[in-house]
Amino acid sequence: MTLLYKSDAQRGQVWAQVFAERMPALRLRFWPDLGDPAQVRYLAAWVPPPDLSVFPNLEILFGVGAGIDHFDLAALPPRVRVVRMIEPGIREAMLEYVSASVLALHRNLPQYLRQQRERHWQPLPVVPAARRRIGVLGIGELGGAVLRHLHGYGFDCAGWSRSPRQLAGIASFAGGEGLDALLARSDILICLLPLTEATRGLLDAKLFARLPRGAALLQVGRGAQLVAADLLAALDSGQLSEAIVDVTDPEPLPPHDPLWQHPRIWLTPHIASATRAEGSALAVLENLRRHDAGEPLLGEIDRTRGY
Ligand code: NAP
């Protein structure tokens, strides 16, 4: 059986080593060296080849990233299972990025940077963590981990998901009505939703208006969830105080885009979190073991939900 790998070459070398040690029976091929396409049972890719019908025995398409929103699910043969990447490195890096961002917002670091540029010495009131309300859109692998982690700092945390979720000590809301309640109590709103038709453009003027005045946004989901013009307007009007934006649409962000220059935006180039090579190889091996044993796969996409 063959796994065809179509992604970053350096990471591919790590996969080759891990597979050789732990599953020598699995043959790893590197795109575009297909060999006999009929032998390809598994494919791992960031961007899959456009025509998968050349692989008549393909069983699983492994995405190498946490999201598969750039896959055209409708074009994939129905028999092919689609699995996204869940591995500890993605979670750890996201916890670091979100903690750094939330603590910076909580302790007014963006404001102090602006003050420093103006040589303005002005201490600002310190809000106790227990009085800082954090709202997380998405209580999945990452949103759930972020909520538990921020709860550990003593923040007043709540999350929002499609179906009801329970996390000890953390308020949770679900569905359309739940969103209003979550937004109304979010001084810092963190987006950790997958990009689907339901979440595209969700971060818009209507949503910002439902946040407490002066709330801050941390956007670490996907670029197309944010209506950038609405964010700029909300910052200019004071409805939002600050935004930290890691994902944009398009990426890279064109040089003339106003998001670059806004004094209340911190922008990073989609680096909040990324798959690590060894962890991702081990995650694929674990899913191959589960596949053989007839057990549920970790991170399998429900095509009807789109995530
Ligand atoms: P996940 O485990 O699939 O969790 C997704 C969460 O979002 C679930 O709680 C889900 O609700 C909720 N959700 C989805 N659609 C919704 C809707 N229409 N209304 C309300 N809730 C909805 O995904 P994850 O692993 O946590 O990753 C989340 C996203 O983070 C990824 O898809 C990707 O876009 C982003 N990400 C960004 C970076 C970066 O570097 N910036 C890195 C990794 C991931 P249910 O619980 O009801 O299913």
Side-chain angles (χ1 to χ4, degrees):
M1 62 188 171
T2 297
L3 184 147
L4 177 63
Y5 176 90
K6 179 179 178 290
S7 187
D8 175 77
Q10 258 183 341
R11 183 189 295 155
Q13 291 313 314
V14 177
W15 281 38
Q17 230 175 339
V18 172
F19 288 5
E21 281 164 17
R22 301 191 181 227
M23 199 185 268
L26 181 72
R27 179 147 192 209
L28 187 61
R29 279 192 175 272
F30 293 92
W31 176 271
D33 170 26
L34 305 185
D36 174 5
Q39 294 290 318
V40 175
R41 283 175 58 189
Y42 314 114
L43 171 64
W46 171 248
V47 181
D51 181 12
L52 292 185
S53 65
V54 298
F55 306 111
N57 298 313
L58 183 64
E59 292 172 31
I60 307 179
L61 168 59
F62 290 101
V64 297
I68 51 81
D69 46 279
H70 52 295
F71 287 12
D72 181 359
L73 292 178
L76 298 178
R79 73 184 146 75
V80 176
R81 302 171 80 178
V82 182
V83 177
R84 69 196 183 86
M85 186 52 66
I86 298 183
E87 61 96 20
I90 300 179
R91 187 174 55 245
E92 283 165 26
M94 185 57 80
L95 291 180
E96 288 174 1
Y97 184 93
V98 170
S99 304
S101 302
V102 165
L103 291 174
L105 292 167
H106 173 59
R107 295 303 309 269
N108 305 303
L109 295 192
Q111 175 66 17
Y112 285 122
L113 277 185
R114 288 191 293 272
Q115 288 184 191
Q116 182 183 352
R117 282 188 207 111
E118 291 158 15
R119 297 164 191 249
H120 183 48
W121 185 277
Q122 178 60 61
L124 301 167
V126 175
V127 176
R131 295 227 321 266
R132 184 74 74 187
R133 299 165 302 173
I134 313 265
V136 179
L137 302 176
I139 317 182
E141 279 297 311
L142 298 177
V146 157
L147 278 164
R148 283 187 289 269
H149 193 71
L150 294 178
H151 181 64
Y153 284 107
F155 290 116
D156 180 1
C157 293
W160 179 68
S161 52
R162 217 171 59 114
S163 49
R165 305 263 151 191
Q166 302 284 326
L167 290 180
I170 295 171
S172 59
F173 302 91
E177 287 160 23
L179 181 58
D180 273 340
L182 184 282
L183 294 173
R185 45 101 55 233
S186 295
D187 301 317
I188 299 176
L189 183 71
I190 304 170
C191 177
L192 265 167
L193 290 167
L195 177 62
T196 65
E197 281 322 301
T199 67
R200 187 177 296 277
L202 183 74
L203 303 176
D204 66 358
K206 269 188 358 229
L207 180 141
F208 298 144
R210 291 184 275 164
L211 290 164
R213 188 162 178 83
L217 173 71
L218 172 53
Q219 163 56 334
V220 273
R222 284 288 184 260
Q225 290 160 344
L226 174 67
V227 180
D230 290 3
L231 172 64
L232 295 168
L235 288 166
D236 288 341
S237 73
Q239 175 56 21
L240 291 185
S241 56
E242 314 279 356
I244 298 181
V245 176
D246 181 55
V247 285
T248 62
D249 183 27
E251 292 179 1
L253 192 65
H256 57 266
D257 194 289
L259 286 181
W260 284 112
Q261 289 292 336
H262 198 284
R264 290 181 180 270
I265 293 179
W266 281 6
L267 196 66
T268 51
H270 199 149
I271 47 72
S273 165
T275 311
R276 290 186 194 151
E278 189 175 348
S280 60
L282 293 173
V284 167
L285 285 183
E286 169 60 12
N287 266 333
L288 292 178
R289 185 199 66 71
R290 286 168 168 260
H291 183 54
D292 272 355
E295 295 171 18
L297 304 182
L298 299 174
E300 181 161 9
I301 299 303
D302 175 342
R303 290 206 200 181
T304 55
R305 293 185 322 189
Y307 70 95

